Amino acid sequence: MTRIIAGRAGSLRIEVPKSGTRPTSDRVREAIFSTLTSWDLVEGVHVLDLYAGSGALGLEAASRGASSVTLIERHAPAAQVAARNARTVRGAFRNDDAPSISVERQSVQAFLDAAGTTARWDVIMLDPPYDLDEPSLGANLSALVPLLDDDGVVLVERSSRSPEPVWPAGLVQVREKRYGETVLWWAEPANDERAPHPEG
């Protein structure tokens, strides 16, 4: 079990799949949302959580005020856990102010390839399995570029033993932070006309 750290569902316990996932620690989740808050990318935003596992990252965003959260998880047991956790978090809200939370059981690449160009998200988070190869991560990143809002950000969470992501055309790295065995890489759209997110 783990818990939602803050927001309307703060302190509520959520399930973790018995195997096959690597939940983000409380310390790293707090660091992620400290960064997103400083960039004004929590309240009212649309979040896409890829390789969602239990859904802890996306559901933390929902608890803290995200307008909608989409959780993508291929493995059936983990997707079922994420769906139960989504109901737990939504239960902390009144019906008229609850965020939209959906769980899609399919592979990340299949979801991204089918999303078209009309769906847009402000925050896209990827916490892939350790054994995901670099070409597959690169394909994910390339496919999500047209789905990212012009003022949005991409977060990649990986092991400190993993190489830096190879960013595709359309994304530029703005921050890298290490927390023990975890590294967070942040990127934003490569747009010369927008104000960059501060490195901090």
Side-chain angles (χ1 to χ4, degrees):
M1 301 288 281
T2 188
R3 65 187 180 93
I4 300 295
I5 298 171
R8 288 286 292 276
S11 80
L12 286 183
R13 292 187 176 276
I14 58 174
E15 297 179 58
V16 173
K18 293 181 180 178
S19 63
T21 64
R22 185 185 71 258
T24 301
S25 71
D26 286 3
R27 177 189 177 211
V28 173
R29 265 190 294 149
E30 191 57 69
I32 289 169
F33 284 92
S34 175
T35 296
L36 290 173
T37 298
S38 73
W39 290 343
D40 196 24
L41 281 171
V42 177
E43 189 73 28
V45 301
H46 302 283
V47 175
L48 178 60
D49 184 356
L50 305 172
Y51 303 100
S54 68
L57 277 178
L59 297 176
E60 186 75 40
S63 177
R64 294 177 185 237
S67 176
S68 71
V69 175
T70 304
L71 307 173
I72 310 302
E73 175 54 53
R74 181 183 68 179
H75 297 288
Q80 292 164 3
V81 167
R84 290 195 295 271
N85 288 339
R87 289 192 291 271
T88 296
V89 169
R90 280 181 57 86
F93 293 79
R94 300 190 309 271
N95 286 336
D96 60 348
D97 68 354
S100 169
I101 305 173
S102 63
V103 180
E104 305 287 341
R105 188 195 156 201
Q106 58 181 308
S107 76
V108 164
Q109 194 64 43
F111 174 84
L112 294 173
D113 289 343
T117 58
T118 56
R120 298 294 287 268
W121 284 274
D122 304 293
V123 179
I124 302 180
M125 301 186 284
L126 301 88
D127 181 11
Y130 282 154
D131 60 359
L132 184 76
D133 58 49
E134 301 313 305
S136 295
L137 177 60
N140 293 168
L141 293 170
S142 294
L144 66 77
V145 171
L147 309 179
L148 183 64
D149 186 78
D150 290 342
D151 293 318
V153 294
V154 174
L155 165 67
V156 177
E157 176 183 342
R158 301 205 79 186
S159 162
S160 60
R161 294 180 293 278
S162 301
E164 178 180 328
V166 177
W167 301 106
L171 288 178
V172 58
Q173 181 176 312
V174 293
R175 176 182 287 193
E176 174 187 337
K177 291 287 185 180
R178 294 177 179 264
Y179 302 89
E181 291 297 306
T182 299
V183 185
L184 303 179
W185 282 285
W186 298 89
E188 63 185 18
N191 182 346
D192 293 338
E193 298 178 1
R194 65 189 296 282
H197 291 104
E199 292 186 14

